[in-house]
Amino acid sequence: MAKSVMVTYVLWAVGGPLGLHHLYLGRDSHALLWMLTLGGFGFGWFREFIRIPTYVGEANQNGEKERRRPPSLGPVRFAGQLCVGIYFGTVALIGLNSLRFFYLIVLPLCIGAGVHLVSSVGQQTSDLQKTLTTCLLTSPIFYGSTFAPLPISLAASVTAAQHRRFKPPHALETAQELGPRLYKLGLAWLAFSAPLGYCIFHNTTATLYYLSDCVAALLDFFWFLPWLRSVLEYILLMPYRILCIFTGGGYYEEAWKKVLEILLKEYTERERDALQVLSLEGEASVDEISRSYRELAKKWHPDHNPSKDAEAMFVRIQEAYEVLLRHHKPHRFK
């Protein structure tokens, strides 16, 4: 079925940054690129206003003319390959840098995937294997550097430009079987966003915990003046109260409290080790922590335990107890 220029412009205006018009035209690589970069960081979406008739013409032609000569190198595509490669590398640095062999394998593969995605937009493509190989060979030179995405992306972009070609007619994207296409695009979007989302959530949890710990420590400092402590608590929690007002209060306020409680109860790795030292489960209360601490401290106290490891174990128990008490502090002034 022939594609309409008018429908394409409407989809471009309504959901252009999400690639709806490219889905309509069967340009799935372009649609995925727009989903992951919000319309080429906004610039590509505006530029397409004058490119849409060309896209529609290519979709209606649907690769009927087989091209034998390689496509010419376009500066916009090359710049896009470079920028998206750096973008994918930066996202990997944020969300996946804790993985083993990150700088040798994970980072170059992510950058290569970004470069190849841009090189596969429309009726052109490139050699994925050679692009990834270039990334893997370049990455050890810049091992551990936060600026590694730039040179790796540059090398991959040059390689992709040298091996660019037109897609064969049978491999061109079509607008048929929308369900399987959306399924594949959804999986690709999830693979890109899941590590980044986890990192953002983890950092948010850590930040909230740190702020709550600071507030609790500040309020505990004024334990001898209860009235002043109450005033400070009201002032420090004012942003939270304002947020509850804007979200409607009542039910929403309870929902926010539950979310905050879940975030603040998230155990860090050090706290999980402390729980192990005191032989406790993850949901241990303050009373259970204190009880276990007293029992173990009595058992391992150097004055009562002649073992040569007693003193070191006693110190570990003491440190674990203090770590877990600090974790539970933010909940005392709720």
Side-chain angles (χ1 to χ4, degrees):
M1 182 183 296
K3 303 301 179 183
S4 167
V5 174
M6 182 61 66
V7 173
T8 306
Y9 270 114
V10 171
L11 293 174
W12 171 85
V14 173
L18 298 179
L20 292 184
H21 54 303
H22 290 304
L23 278 175
Y24 170 70
L25 296 175
R27 300 167 62 90
D28 288 357
S29 296
H30 212 157
L32 178 60
L33 176 63
W34 257 218
M35 291 177 188
L36 300 182
T37 63
L38 289 180
F41 313 109
F43 299 106
W45 177 52
F46 285 111
R47 176 179 174 268
E48 285 183 330
F49 182 79
I50 60 175
R51 296 281 301 166
I52 283 179
T54 302
Y55 294 157
V56 173
E58 291 177 353
N60 289 332
Q61 181 181 336
N62 199 23
E64 292 175 0
K65 296 180 180 179
E66 184 174 0
R67 300 169 175 83
R68 297 181 179 178
R69 298 178 59 185
S72 58
L73 175 62
V76 175
R77 185 181 293 264
F78 184 85
Q81 292 174 175
L82 180 61
C83 292
V84 174
I86 295 172
Y87 172 57
F88 273 47
T90 303
V91 171
L93 281 170
I94 294 173
L96 299 173
N97 60 3
S98 60
L99 297 178
R100 295 184 63 184
F101 307 112
F102 171 76
Y103 285 99
L104 292 177
I105 299 177
V106 179
L107 180 62
L109 290 181
C110 291
I111 295 174
V115 171
H116 183 72
L117 178 59
V118 179
S119 69
S120 298
V121 163
Q123 297 183 330
Q124 297 187 25
T125 188
S126 186
D127 193 316
L128 175 60
Q129 183 177 352
K130 292 181 179 178
T131 301
L132 294 181
T133 301
T134 300
C135 293
L136 291 171
L137 292 176
T138 308
S139 60
I141 303 175
F142 305 96
Y143 183 88
S145 173
T146 54
F147 298 100
L150 174 58
I152 298 175
S153 180
L154 180 60
S157 298
V158 171
T159 301
Q162 290 175 340
H163 297 89
R164 63 192 182 279
R165 63 178 185 273
F166 285 110
K167 295 176 183 177
H170 62 81
L172 288 173
E173 300 154 338
T174 68
Q176 300 174 357
E177 299 180 357
L178 183 60
R181 290 170 53 212
L182 290 177
Y183 175 73
K184 293 178 182 178
L185 290 174
L187 288 180
W189 180 86
L190 185 63
F192 177 87
S193 59
L196 185 61
Y198 168 78
C199 182
I200 293 173
F201 175 80
H202 176 75
N203 289 336
T204 302
T205 302
T207 303
L208 284 174
Y209 178 80
Y210 174 75
L211 291 176
S212 292
D213 205 15
C214 291
V215 171
L218 179 61
L219 294 177
D220 287 344
F221 183 74
F222 294 97
W223 63 270
F224 56 92
L225 293 173
W227 65 270
L228 181 58
R229 186 181 187 278
S230 299
V231 172
L232 286 175
E233 179 179 348
Y234 185 84
I235 295 173
L236 292 172
L237 295 181
M238 183 62 72
Y240 168 73
R241 299 178 191 278
I242 294 174
L243 180 61
C244 290
I245 292 173
F246 278 107
T247 54
Y251 167 79
Y252 295 99
E253 183 176 358
E254 293 301 320
W256 278 111
K257 284 182 178 178
K258 289 179 181 178
V259 171
L260 190 63
E261 184 178 358
I262 291 171
L263 291 176
L264 294 178
K265 281 186 176 179
E266 185 73 19
Y267 281 104
T268 64
E269 185 175 351
R270 187 181 178 190
E271 289 162 350
R272 287 194 293 269
D273 292 341
L275 287 170
Q276 267 191 340
V277 171
L278 296 184
S279 303
L280 294 169
E281 299 295 333
E283 299 298 326
S285 64
V286 176
D287 292 337
E288 291 172 335
I289 292 171
S290 299
R291 189 184 312 117
S292 179
Y293 164 71
R294 285 194 297 269
E295 293 174 357
L296 291 173
K298 183 178 180 180
K299 175 183 177 181
W300 290 97
H301 197 285
D303 293 343
H304 305 289
N305 194 324
S307 173
K308 61 179 181 179
D309 299 328
E311 185 175 355
M313 188 62 186
F314 182 78
V315 171
R316 287 188 64 194
I317 293 169
Q318 185 73 29
E319 291 177 347
Y321 179 61
E322 293 174 356
V323 166
L324 293 178
L325 279 189
R326 282 198 298 270
H327 172 79
H328 283 273
K329 265 186 180 181
H331 307 286
R332 295 181 181 177
F333 58 89
K334 284 185 179 180

